[in-house]
Amino acid sequence: MIRIHILEGKAFVWNSADARRIREEHRIIGTLVGALARKPRQNVRLGLPLQLLPEEARLLAEKGVATFLKNLTSQPLADDAGQAVDAYQKEQEESYREQLRLAGEQRKALMGTLAERIAQGQAKKHQRKGEEAEPLSKSVDQEPSLVFPREAMMVQLPTERTQRLKEEVDWRLPSEDWPYGGQAEHEMRYRVFQDLWEQGYYITSGSKFGGDFLVYPGDPMRFHAHYIALCVPRDAPLSLCDIISVGRLGTNVKKTVLLCSVDEEGTVAYTSLQWSGMQ
């Protein structure tokens, strides 16, 4: 079961295996919003957690492959907290020794491949000084010992809590943690999202192009979006200026704008807009 963590109305996936499964098996993309541990000051490439749209999270929950969880407001301190700290420090010490051993073996193998070149260089150096060259084995043994500071040790950074003290959230009911249940706007957006997803499309947020969703014919890593989906109530009026602006925007970015509406039976109707004057 995929664990979706709810925080103030936002859905996050912290487990890397779950994030990969969501994309590969269910065509749910999400957005990586976490900073990389080794490059925290850049925002070009991000990491876990994976943030899901409310519609993405609900689709997974309705399919029965995911559950909504939230952290308990107060968690009791474990009785064995001191033992856990000691075990962690012991594990860190064992990891340092193992990395020191591996670094030494790697350096020894490297020196073995460069031994002949080092000997030739030292022989030329002694020859210029008129001294007798040292044996190869002696020159290699005199190499300085490996210095491996603890600051250079690789440390595993967990992205998920080990404790399972969590409370399940019912996505069907509106609450402080999940306020979308029963909202008319959310129901309309979700029905549009679900209909497009069932047709085999990949769907992401369309906020960067002024829409609700971007619709892709395949994985966004390989394809550009073909449509900008804009969800509008079925009987809501649209001004001429709004129609012109979204139509021109779609044409400028080489995408077709879809006006998506849902009738009383839940059927989705699509109206495509293209600015023919700029074709």
Side-chain angles (χ1 to χ4, degrees), residues 69-235:
L69 301 173
K70 71 172 183 177
N71 292 331
L72 296 178
T73 54
S74 60
Q75 296 188 6
L77 184 63
D79 298 333
D80 58 348
Q83 297 178 2
V85 172
D86 294 339
Y88 173 78
Q89 293 177 347
K90 181 179 179 182
E91 182 181 354
Q92 290 294 95
E93 181 64 25
E94 292 176 353
S95 176
Y96 172 76
R97 293 178 181 177
E98 179 67 13
Q99 293 182 45
L100 178 61
R101 182 185 65 82
L102 293 174
E105 292 180 355
Q106 184 178 12
R107 178 182 174 83
K108 184 177 180 181
L110 179 63
M111 294 301 296
T113 58
L114 300 177
E116 184 176 354
R117 186 180 302 177
I118 293 175
Q120 292 176 355
Q122 291 182 348
K124 292 180 179 179
K125 180 179 178 181
H126 289 293
Q127 185 176 6
R128 288 195 299 268
K129 294 182 178 180
E131 301 175 354
E132 184 178 355
E134 298 179 354
L136 176 61
S137 59
K138 183 178 180 180
S139 62
V140 173
D141 292 339
Q142 290 180 350
E143 290 297 325
S145 59
L146 174 66
V147 177
F148 188 74
R150 290 184 178 272
E151 292 77 10
M153 179 179 67
M154 297 180 64
V155 179
Q156 181 179 3
L157 298 177
T159 59
E160 188 177 21
R161 292 190 178 185
T162 57
Q163 294 182 342
R164 300 300 180 190
L165 299 177
K166 299 183 182 299
E167 180 182 351
E168 190 168 350
V169 177
D170 189 352
W171 57 269
R172 302 174 185 85
L173 302 176
S175 63
E176 182 179 352
D177 302 294
W178 189 254
Y180 307 104
Q183 286 186 0
E185 182 179 359
H186 170 71
E187 294 297 330
M188 176 184 61
R189 285 170 52 94
Y190 176 71
R191 186 65 191 94
V192 173
F193 181 92
Q194 182 186 39
D195 188 72
L196 291 170
W197 183 86
E198 290 177 348
Q199 295 183 48
Y201 291 107
Y202 285 73
I203 308 160
T204 66
S205 172
S207 58
K208 62 182 178 181
F209 288 116
D212 291 293
F213 305 114
L214 289 179
V215 185
Y216 296 79
D219 194 300
M221 295 291 291
R222 301 177 59 188
F223 296 89
H224 289 288
H226 283 190
Y227 305 103
I228 302 174
L230 189 64
C231 301
V232 295
R234 184 168 179 264
D235 298 327

Side-chain angles (χ1 to χ4, degrees), residues 225-229 250-251 253-258 271-274:
H226 283 190
Y227 305 103
I228 302 174
T251 301
V253 296
K254 298 182 180 180
K255 306 183 193 309
T256 299
V257 175
L258 293 180
T271 303
S272 62
L273 294 180
Q274 287 184 327

Side-chain angles (χ1 to χ4, degrees), residues 254-272:
K254 298 182 180 180
K255 306 183 193 309
T256 299
V257 175
L258 293 180
L259 299 180
C260 313
S261 302
V262 182
D263 60 18
E264 297 178 354
E265 289 75 23
T267 303
V268 183
Y270 300 99
T271 303
S272 62

